[in-house]
Amino acid sequence: MEQEHIQLKEYMARSKKTVAVTGAGISYLYGMRRLKQSVGIMNAGRIFSPSYIRKNPEKFYATMKDAFLDATFVKGPSAVHRQLAELERQGKIYGIVTQNLDCLHTIAGSKNVVEFQGSFRDNICIECESRCYDYTVWNQGHMPCCEKCGAPLMPTCFLRNSRASAITSHENMEKATDMISESDLVIIIGTTGFRSDEYLSRMKDTTTLVQINPSATEFDKIANLNIRADAAEVFDKVMNG
């Protein structure tokens, strides 16, 4: 891996705008549970509905706590989240595009983050549809409620087939696509390619693509450099080697 991390370091040194794209791999490795482990794939549609939350707000909160919140607020950001935040602070990474809902990039200190699926920082009231843009409401030990009417909140991205969710999803993906279209180096970390056909749709032909993933993915064929290693180890060498 020595030569590969040297190559990545050279790419980053030459780049004027580097964007990192992160997926579930950087969260699952550090304690995040897959949603189907918590609710079962057949139950997801039922649980992520206003009618279910209205009747079972604390059960819904318990499901979110098991699947996401403990890993987010108790265990906290991984080494990779912290490394990316530091690289952004140093001006070596412009921003992050992520499919993850957990807000761990923000908690780690990253400022320029696009969560193209939405996240726990974008919430909607199930009754009056007021919006709450604050992930910390999920760190109070109980189901968060709307300040205006007192009804339960839910992440907007879980409100399927709603206008609010559709608009938010479209806007987030547009931001992700714009950011990548302006980059000259894209570093893919811990994702197998979920919705990559969308966020890479306007990536320039001249943009360098690097993948960091221990396993093979659909990016193998298009990446200029594939690094088969743990991302935390790779960035440690890039930053300190």
Side-chain angles (χ1 to χ4, degrees), residues 21-35 37 66-72 75-81 84 96 98-108 115 117 120 189-191 230-231:
V21 177
T22 66
I26 71 166
S27 292
Y28 292 150
L29 291 175
Y30 297 95
M32 198 70 63
R33 285 166 57 82
R34 294 182 186 275
L35 192 58
Q37 290 177 299
D66 181 65
F68 299 105
L69 305 180
D70 281 347
T72 296
K75 192 158 189 178
S78 70
V80 180
H81 294 101
L84 290 173
I96 296 167
T98 186
Q99 71 186 59
N100 300 335
L101 312 177
D102 49 42
C103 297
L104 284 170
H105 285 298
T106 299
I107 294 171
E115 298 152 328
Q117 287 202 99
F120 281 87
I189 310 161
T191 177
D230 178 82

Side-chain angles (χ1 to χ4, degrees), residues 212-225:
I212 304 172
N213 200 318
S215 304
T217 75
E218 66 179 55
F219 295 111
D220 289 17
K221 298 176 292 185
I222 62 173
N224 300 90
L225 176 65

Side-chain angles (χ1 to χ4, degrees), residues 68-213:
F68 299 105
L69 305 180
D70 281 347
T72 296
F73 296 115
V74 178
K75 192 158 189 178
S78 70
V80 180
H81 294 101
R82 293 192 296 271
Q83 288 165 329
L84 290 173
E86 177 60 20
L87 286 167
E88 182 185 3
R89 190 191 69 79
Q90 295 176 6
K92 296 178 180 178
I93 284 180
Y94 171 74
I96 296 167
V97 169
T98 186
Q99 71 186 59
N100 300 335
L101 312 177
D102 49 42
C103 297
L104 284 170
H105 285 298
T106 299
I107 294 171
S110 293
K111 305 299 183 185
N112 194 13
V113 181
V114 177
E115 298 152 328
F116 66 76
Q117 287 202 99
S119 75
F120 281 87
R121 72 164 130 193
D122 179 0
N123 304 285
I124 190 167
C125 174
I126 65 171
E127 298 296 351
C128 72
E129 298 188 354
S130 295
R131 301 290 279 274
C132 172
Y133 298 96
D134 181 6
Y135 67 86
T136 66
V137 298
W138 293 96
N139 192 28
Q140 300 172 357
H142 56 80
M143 185 69 184
C145 294
C146 175
E147 291 186 352
K148 291 185 178 180
C149 73
L153 298 173
M154 68 183 293
T156 305
C157 57
F158 291 159
L159 191 60
R160 297 181 178 180
N161 303 317
S162 73
R163 184 172 181 272
S165 180
I167 291 173
T168 298
S169 177
H170 175 74
E171 290 176 347
N172 289 344
M173 186 57 78
E174 280 292 302
K175 291 177 183 177
T177 304
D178 286 346
M179 186 185 290
I180 290 175
S181 73
E182 297 168 355
S183 68
D184 52 23
L185 173 61
V186 174
I187 306 174
I188 306 284
I189 310 161
T191 177
T192 57
F194 177 68
R195 295 183 71 180
S196 61
D197 57 326
E198 296 176 68
Y199 60 71
L200 295 182
S201 61
R202 291 193 286 117
M203 185 178 73
K204 299 190 294 283
D205 292 339
T206 55
T207 297
T208 299
L209 186 68
V210 174
Q211 175 183 217
I212 304 172
N213 200 318

